[in-house]
Amino acid sequence: MIDRPVRIGLQLQPQHMDYDTIRRTASEAEEAGVDVLFNWDHFYPLYGEPDGPHFECWTMLAAWAESTSRVEIGALVSCNSYRNPELLADMSRTIDHISAGRLILGIGSGWFERDYTEYGYEFGTAGGRLDDLAEALPRIESRLGKLNPPPTRKIPVLIGGGGEKKTLRLVAKHADIWHSFADAETLEHKLGVLRGHCETIGRDPSEIEVSVAGNPESRDRMHELGGRLFTLGVGGPKPDLGELRELLAWRDERNA
């Protein structure tokens, strides 16, 4: 049984602000003590003006690898559909080296249809995209084992989503971190499903870190259920880290 401390993530949504603001906010979050700095893998804003300013995920992660020094970095989450799995593995290995071993490979099957249609990817169906992810994950793992130089560490894989038949089975088989978007009641149920998938393949479910939202009204219950990585989302044009600082204080109380 793995006993994990509480960790705090900030999803710095790359929308509605210039890059100077993004870089400055990332530095402020690291100085404040955040454990993980995430962005997301979309091409257009998800909130606010749909055609507002927005930046690409993986080029930004490479920049964060240079502009930060302590925090882990990653996408919450990267879309499997946009990149050949072998290429994504190589990108991950490269940022792993640039960051001196701080990359988390967050990945999911994709869902935002505009990203696909505007950039020329086939949207298909939710089930088909999950099947593609199931095919991609072993290919990513295989390519990571072939690269020269190899990654500096076993790059943690974070899988996002809560589908019980396909996604959670992939989590049990491949993930080091599972990110759930569920409320507390739903999380309790899905953790039971995940434990069942782990039992089927002979894996200890405590090996998988449970990642959830950092909402003040539910975080204590989420912690009781096993949540250990709590992430707050912040976007532009003027990102406010006040709630993040309060969440960091809660982490420190929990970990004392």
Side-chain angles (χ1 to χ4, degrees):
M1 185 72 177
I2 299 174
D3 184 21
R4 300 179 184 275
V6 171
R7 301 199 298 159
I8 301 302
L10 178 70
Q11 185 187 53
L12 184 52
Q13 302 159 353
Q15 59 178 5
H16 304 307
M17 52 185 149
D18 57 36
Y19 189 71
D20 284 346
T21 302
I22 292 173
R23 182 177 57 244
R24 182 175 63 253
T25 305
S27 296
E28 290 175 0
E30 181 173 51
E31 291 169 5
V34 75
D35 297 293
V36 187
L37 186 64
F38 293 110
N39 58 10
W40 66 30
D41 193 14
H42 295 287
F43 304 132
Y44 297 92
L46 298 186
Y47 313 115
E49 169 53 50
D51 291 312
H54 195 280
F55 291 100
E56 194 274 330
C57 167
W58 278 86
T59 45
M60 183 178 294
L61 290 177
W64 284 359
E66 289 281 8
S67 67
T68 62
S69 61
R70 179 190 57 79
V71 292
E72 290 191 287
I73 57 175
L76 191 62
V77 291
S78 183
C79 178
N80 175 66
S81 303
Y82 306 155
R83 302 164 191 91
N84 166 278
E86 284 75 17
L87 173 61
L88 184 58
D90 204 340
M91 292 163 58
S92 300
R93 182 279 311 256
T94 299
I95 295 179
D96 166 73
H97 276 263
I98 295 171
S99 67
R102 294 183 288 121
L103 179 75
I104 294 172
L105 174 52
I107 193 165
S109 60
W111 63 273
F112 189 41
E113 187 170 5
R114 187 183 183 191
D115 288 334
Y116 288 77
T117 57
E118 294 268 8
Y119 275 63
Y121 297 103
E122 181 181 351
F123 187 56
T125 65
R129 293 191 298 277
L130 279 167
D131 291 341
D132 290 343
L133 178 61
E135 179 193 7
L137 287 165
R139 290 172 59 184
I140 291 170
E141 293 166 355
S142 176
R143 180 57 52 182
L144 286 170
K146 297 175 181 178
L147 293 169
N148 183 17
T152 67
R153 64 170 180 169
K154 196 279 183 187
I155 297 175
V157 172
L158 179 155
I159 295 178
E164 297 180 12
K165 293 182 179 180
K166 293 185 177 183
T167 303
L168 291 181
R169 184 180 294 116
L170 294 175
V171 170
K173 187 173 182 181
H174 298 282
D176 302 286
I177 308 168
W178 169 50
H179 183 77
S180 171
F181 300 91
D183 58 28
E185 182 178 356
T186 306
L187 177 69
E188 184 173 17
H189 167 73
K190 291 188 181 295
L191 282 169
V193 175
L194 178 58
R195 285 191 292 270
H197 287 309
C198 287
E199 182 178 357
T200 298
I201 65 171
R203 186 179 185 190
D204 180 355
S206 72
E207 294 176 0
I208 303 169
E209 184 177 21
V210 178
S211 170
V212 295
N215 300 328
E217 64 275 9
S218 62
R219 64 193 179 203
D220 288 330
R221 177 58 178 152
M222 294 289 202
H223 183 269
E224 291 175 2
L225 293 171
R228 289 298 181 270
L229 175 55
F230 292 79
T231 297
L232 178 71
V234 173
K238 296 180 179 180
D240 182 354
L241 299 187
E243 188 175 349
L244 174 68
R245 296 179 192 279
E246 194 274 332
L247 189 59
L248 290 168
W250 175 82
R251 174 202 64 188
D252 294 343
E253 292 175 2
R254 283 287 182 179
N255 289 341

